[in-house]
Amino acid sequence: MNSENNALSVGGYLFYTEKDARLARAEEQKIEYLEARIDYSSPESIRYIYEHTIQERLFKTPVGLRYLQKLRDFLLAQPETEPGSIMDIPLYMAFDGELRENANPARERVVPSQKRDRDKEKSRFTLSVILNVLMAAAIVAMFYISYVSEQPNVINYERTLTSKYASWEQELTEREQAIREKERELKINQD
C-alpha cells in the first residue's frame, strides 16, 4: 500500500478524496469525545445522543455511520426498547456514486416565497424613501429656524449684527439729542 492510500485510509475505509478522509478523521475525533463522556448504564442518554447526532447530521462517512449502528444495536439490545421506536440511520448518498451534500429535509419543507421576498424588499424601499424625505425635511427646517432666529449664527450673523449695531446707533443718537435739548433748556454753555 502506498503513502497516498495511507493518507486516504481512515478507520478501515479507503476514501476517494483527501476531503472525505479529513471528514472521516473529524468524525473519529467526535466519536472519541462521545465515548469518553457517554454513560452506557443509561439507555435514555444513549438514545438522546443517537437521535441528536442523526438530527444534527454529525456523521456522514462510513466511520460515523458505523458508530451510529453501534449505538442503534445497543439500544435494540435493551429489553424495554421497542424496535420500531428507534430512528433509522439516514444515508445521504445515492449509490450511483453521487453524494447528496445539499439534501436537507428541513430546507425542502420550508420553501421561501418569492412574493414574500418581493413584498419585504418593497416595504424596505418604501421605508427608506420615507426616512429620506423626513430627514430632508428636518434639514430644511433646521436651516429655516437658523435663518429666522434672533441669535447670531452662521446663516444670519451679518443681518443680526447689523441690526444690533443699527439699534445701538439709533439709541445713542436719541440719547444725544435728549442731552442737547436738556442743555438748551438749562442754557448750558455749548461749544
Side-chain angles (χ1 to χ4, degrees), residues 139-188:
I139 291 170
V140 168
M142 287 180 355
F143 276 111
Y144 176 75
I145 290 170
S146 295
Y147 183 74
V148 298
S149 172
E150 295 296 324
Q151 299 295 323
N153 56 44
V154 173
I155 296 173
N156 68 357
Y157 75 92
E158 184 178 5
R159 180 177 49 92
T160 305
L161 291 177
T162 305
S163 299
K164 198 177 272 188
Y165 287 128
S167 68
W168 287 350
E169 185 177 355
Q170 183 179 358
E171 188 179 320
L172 285 174
T173 305
E174 289 173 358
R175 284 185 179 179
E176 187 177 321
Q177 189 176 11
I179 289 172
R180 283 191 184 149
E181 283 180 19
K182 283 290 184 186
E183 284 178 347
R184 268 189 246 133
E185 283 176 17
L186 298 174
K187 296 179 184 173
I188 296 180

Side-chain angles (χ1 to χ4, degrees), residues 99-113:
L99 184 63
R100 294 184 195 171
E101 288 275 337
N102 298 331
N104 188 339
R107 287 188 181 162
E108 291 171 3
R109 282 185 271 139
V110 180
V111 178
S113 168

Side-chain angles (χ1 to χ4, degrees), residues 64-77:
L65 296 176
R66 181 175 59 195
Y67 181 68
L68 285 176
Q69 185 61 48
K70 175 186 169 186
L71 294 179
R72 180 178 169 78
D73 291 342
F74 173 82
L75 291 171
L76 289 172

Side-chain angles (χ1 to χ4, degrees), residues 39-173:
D39 179 16
Y40 281 100
S41 66
S42 171
E44 298 84 28
S45 66
I46 302 295
R47 184 181 192 123
Y48 173 79
I49 290 169
Y50 173 77
E51 291 177 355
H52 184 72
T53 54
I54 289 175
Q55 290 168 351
E56 295 296 318
R57 291 186 176 192
L58 294 179
F59 299 121
K60 297 176 184 174
T61 69
V63 173
L65 296 176
R66 181 175 59 195
Y67 181 68
L68 285 176
Q69 185 61 48
K70 175 186 169 186
L71 294 179
R72 180 178 169 78
D73 291 342
F74 173 82
L75 291 171
L76 289 172
Q78 301 303 309
E80 67 274 356
T81 303
E82 291 183 34
S85 69
I86 304 296
M87 291 175 66
D88 290 331
I89 300 170
L91 299 176
Y92 303 110
M93 177 182 289
F95 289 100
D96 61 357
E98 180 183 336
L99 184 63
R100 294 184 195 171
E101 288 275 337
N102 298 331
N104 188 339
R107 287 188 181 162
E108 291 171 3
R109 282 185 271 139
V110 180
V111 178
S113 168
Q114 291 179 350
K115 182 180 184 290
R116 192 175 5 177
D117 290 343
R118 277 186 263 129
D119 289 345
K120 187 183 273 187
E121 193 172 313
K122 188 176 181 181
S123 67
R124 283 183 183 166
F125 177 74
T126 304
L127 178 64
S128 174
V129 169
I130 291 170
L131 289 176
N132 285 332
V133 167
L134 289 175
M135 203 174 301
I139 291 170
V140 168
M142 287 180 355
F143 276 111
Y144 176 75
I145 290 170
S146 295
Y147 183 74
V148 298
S149 172
E150 295 296 324
Q151 299 295 323
N153 56 44
V154 173
I155 296 173
N156 68 357
Y157 75 92
E158 184 178 5
R159 180 177 49 92
T160 305
L161 291 177
T162 305
S163 299
K164 198 177 272 188
Y165 287 128
S167 68
W168 287 350
E169 185 177 355
Q170 183 179 358
E171 188 179 320
L172 285 174
T173 305

